[in-house]
Amino acid sequence: MARQAGFHMTPEEFRRHGRELIDWLARYEERVESLPVLSRVRPGDVAAALPDLAPEAPEPFETVLRDVEQVILPGITHWQSPNFFAFFPANASGPSILGELLSAGLGVQGMLWVTSPACTELETRVLDWLVGLLGLPDRFHSSSAGAGVIQDSASSAALCALLAGRERAARTTNTTGCDGKLVAYASSEAHSSIEKAVRISGVGSDNLRRIEVDEQKRMRPDALEAALHEDRAAGRVPCFVCATVGTTSSQALDPLEPIGKICAEHGVWLHVDAAMAGSAAICPEFRYIQAGLERADSYCFNPHKWLFTNFDCDCFWVADRHALIDALSILPDYLRNRESDSGAVTDYRDWQVPLGRRFRSLKLWFVIRHYGAEGLRHHIREHIRLAQQFATWVREHECFELAAPVPLNLVCFRHVGGDAVNQALLDRLNASGEMYITQTRLDGRLTLRFSIGQTHTEARHVARAWECIVETAERSTGS
Ligand SMILES: *Cc1c(COP(=O)(O)O)cnc(C)c1O
């Protein structure tokens, strides 16, 4: 039936289509395991299946949903497949998807406390819960001088931390700009977002010191200390150190105790980036990874990687909220309100780069309440157990070797046949559709990364993947 232009979806239609979409998603979860993990479309295929121009006339929802199935789905790489072992997980779950839907339905913009008190207060409360759940230092709890805030990504968290550290080290950078003297530090294995933050903040990538790592890819505290002394002696101003708990490449754990001591001596902002690995701290037996965090000025990890919360959701804490607010707050007249002026409330717009913000804490709240701490611990433990099992298989096979220690859920390994063999193996495995894994380079050699953390990954998926890897290697090397 043709529809008159300008009609909104009625509540009755919304109900019906909403149910159809939820059914579609439930069916997706049921069948995702059987789909080729890495999308098989070629560049331009999806675009070619879409019309050049937007529709002039309204279209029925059914045709849109049909195109989701026929045009969009083939162009999806299935991050939610239990056979997804690439990069890092981005694991979603039923409660997080429903929380996201609720956030969209309420359509709240939470820039100020007054623009939706629940958006601010639930966020603060859930981040306080996580301080307890992860065993984080009390200084990050909102009952102290610090507190937490949700950012879109670990990249944004690092940028905000750097801006706060920069402003604390040189009080006038926000007004007069950087003078080329400020210096930031991170290990040579730190995530690329640190270099991006250094560029955006005006510190400049020439002023980012990439600190040497040891044989296990951990930042060397003595090298950090030497770099700080050298810059000081040359009249430069160290303003920011980023330590990584679980590097992206190989899950190396920078030693926070000595790094924290050095930063405290030099009065430099210490940010700790635990984007993926931070989730492990929900289990007390893995909290050793964050030993020394008491001296950090800021900390972040991503529930949108490995805590069953769909993208985007990064939890970011600062020990001194005023250091962050001082760096980011600007108050135009049109945002003024009585509650903010009284100082009695938190306005999260001052804790991030954009003004506007989504109601992200809802999905995290749904996830934590659905699983409970014990449910979350159960799944994280299981992922780590599966990774350790996989590492054992690698160690015991004569044609394969581990390329790095395996503290948690990431296994870096390679075939002993050299780069060309590993590249061919990687390409064949990913083309098979059975799994998706990615690579990195460690000590100059091509290394395969097997990252476990998808919501529905079970022992049988990991066992099947290992079988597949061994068979494919045997077939291609003829051994
Ligand atoms: C994935 C990752 C990031 C980037 O995460 P985003 O949330 O996508 O910005 C930063 N640091 C580390 C160590 C990572 O593994």
Side-chain angles (χ1 to χ4, degrees):
M1 187 178 63
R3 311 207 29 190
Q4 220 176 309
F7 264 48
H8 291 299
M9 193 179 272
T10 65
E12 198 35 62
E13 289 168 323
F14 180 77
R15 222 171 250 126
R16 184 157 54 82
H17 298 317
R19 286 186 180 125
E20 283 162 10
L21 186 60
I22 295 282
D23 281 344
W24 190 92
L25 285 171
R27 177 81 195 102
Y28 175 67
E29 188 183 313
E30 286 165 352
R31 67 181 158 151
V32 66
E33 180 172 352
S34 65
L35 303 174
V37 187
L38 182 61
S39 170
R40 289 177 164 162
V41 299
R42 284 156 303 162
D45 280 357
V46 176
L50 299 166
D52 287 339
L53 298 175
E56 186 60 34
E59 294 188 71
F61 194 75
E62 286 78 6
T63 40
V64 181
L65 212 47
R66 194 194 59 212
D67 285 348
V68 168
E69 181 76 33
Q70 293 177 0
V71 180
I72 302 300
L73 196 59
I76 295 294
T77 288
H78 300 287
W79 285 75
Q80 303 313 314
S81 166
N83 299 314
F84 185 97
F85 304 108
F87 307 103
F88 38 76
N91 61 15
S93 64
S96 88
I97 296 165
L98 293 175
E100 183 80 64
L101 182 61
L102 178 59
S103 169
L106 293 174
V108 157
Q109 208 277 45
M111 58 184 178
L112 302 166
W113 178 87
V114 75
T115 60
S116 266
C119 181
T120 296
E121 295 190 12
L122 179 67
E123 185 162 327
T124 308
R125 180 67 69 176
V126 168
L127 271 86
D128 280 345
W129 280 5
L130 280 163
V131 169
L133 285 175
L134 301 170
L136 300 178
D138 293 339
R139 65 198 307 218
F140 293 140
H141 194 279
S142 72
S143 61
S144 72
V149 57
I150 298 179
Q151 302 277 339
D152 56 2
S153 62
S155 304
S156 292
L159 175 60
C160 290
L162 173 55
L163 295 172
R166 188 198 71 183
E167 196 59 18
R168 195 177 74 178
R171 281 272 148 219
T172 57
T173 50
N174 262 339
T175 42
T176 61
C178 295
D179 58 4
K181 291 211 171 105
L182 290 160
V183 193
Y185 307 79
S187 90
S188 55
E189 293 286 313
H191 190 262
S192 58
S193 56
I194 306 306
E195 170 145 13
K196 206 186 246 187
V198 163
R199 292 187 195 178
I200 296 169
S201 64
V203 168
S205 46
D206 282 355
N207 298 316
L208 173 63
R209 305 280 178 262
R210 303 306 300 246
I211 306 299
E212 229 180 286
V213 294
D214 66 14
E215 74 298 339
Q216 290 189 21
K217 313 287 175 247
R218 302 171 295 199
M219 187 196 285
R220 282 184 42 192
D222 57 329
L224 172 65
E225 189 159 35
L228 283 161
H229 277 299
E230 192 185 322
D231 284 320
R232 275 260 146 74
R236 291 185 283 260
V237 182
C239 71
F240 177 79
V241 173
C242 176
T244 311
V245 170
T247 57
T248 314
S249 195
S250 68
Q251 208 155 54
L253 307 163
D254 285 348
L256 303 184
E257 300 264 19
I259 292 172
K261 273 194 198 124
I262 294 164
C263 291
E265 273 161 31
H266 286 262
V268 183
W269 188 285
L270 172 60
H271 174 64
V272 176
D273 173 6
M276 171 159 80
S279 295
I282 201 150
C283 308
E285 68 270 32
F286 301 120
R287 290 198 187 141
Y288 72 90
I289 63 173
Q290 62 195 24
L293 192 56
E294 301 72 30
R295 286 205 185 78
D297 293 285
S298 55
Y299 174 73
C300 81
F301 90 107
N302 287 350
H304 72 221
K305 276 186 170 160
W306 191 25
L307 209 65
F308 312 102
T309 306
N310 58 286
F311 194 84
D312 53 356
C313 184
D314 166 271
C315 294
F316 175 55
W317 286 270
V318 286
D320 173 9
R321 66 181 82 183
H322 292 295
L324 182 65
I325 295 169
D326 286 352
L328 297 178
S329 177
I330 301 175
L331 185 59
D333 281 332
Y334 49 77
L335 291 178
R336 291 195 86 106
N337 63 87
R338 199 176 329 115
E339 288 78 9
S340 299
D341 287 348
S342 75
V345 299
T346 295
D347 288 329
Y348 274 133
R349 72 185 181 95
D350 296 330
W351 299 54
Q352 60 175 22
V353 172
L355 170 64
R357 57 203 326 276
R358 307 180 333 98
F359 200 164
R360 293 194 192 87
S361 58
L362 278 175
K363 59 187 173 190
L364 197 47
W365 187 49
F366 276 30
V367 165
I368 295 171
R369 295 186 66 182
H370 170 84
Y371 289 98
E374 56 180 44
L376 294 172
R377 270 183 225 122
H378 166 82
H379 290 294
I380 295 289
R381 270 189 192 123
E382 184 61 6
H383 289 155
I384 295 174
R385 187 186 72 79
L386 295 175
Q388 301 305 318
Q389 172 70 75
F390 187 93
T392 304
W393 293 332
V394 171
R395 225 180 271 122
E396 288 171 355
H397 197 290
E398 55 182 9
C399 295
F400 288 93
E401 63 186 14
L402 288 178
V406 184
L408 304 168
N409 64 330
L410 173 68
V411 185
C412 291
F413 71 108
R414 54 173 92 92
H415 190 279
V416 293
D419 282 7
V421 169
N422 283 290
Q423 186 64 56
L425 182 57
L426 180 73
D427 294 342
R428 287 208 180 98
L429 289 168
N430 289 340
S432 75
E434 301 261 3
M435 75 185 81
Y436 183 24
I437 61 174
T438 46
Q439 80 295 323
T440 186
R441 208 160 259 286
L442 291 175
D443 305 312
R445 296 159 74 190
L446 188 71
T447 301
L448 308 178
R449 290 170 80 266
F450 195 87
S451 153
I452 300 178
Q454 212 294 316
T455 305
H456 298 291
T457 296
E458 294 170 15
R460 66 190 170 93
H461 302 106
V462 176
R464 172 77 196 120
W466 175 244
E467 249 174 59
C468 230
I469 291 167
V470 172
E471 277 168 21
T472 308
E474 281 169 359
R475 245 183 293 122
S476 42
T477 58
S479 64

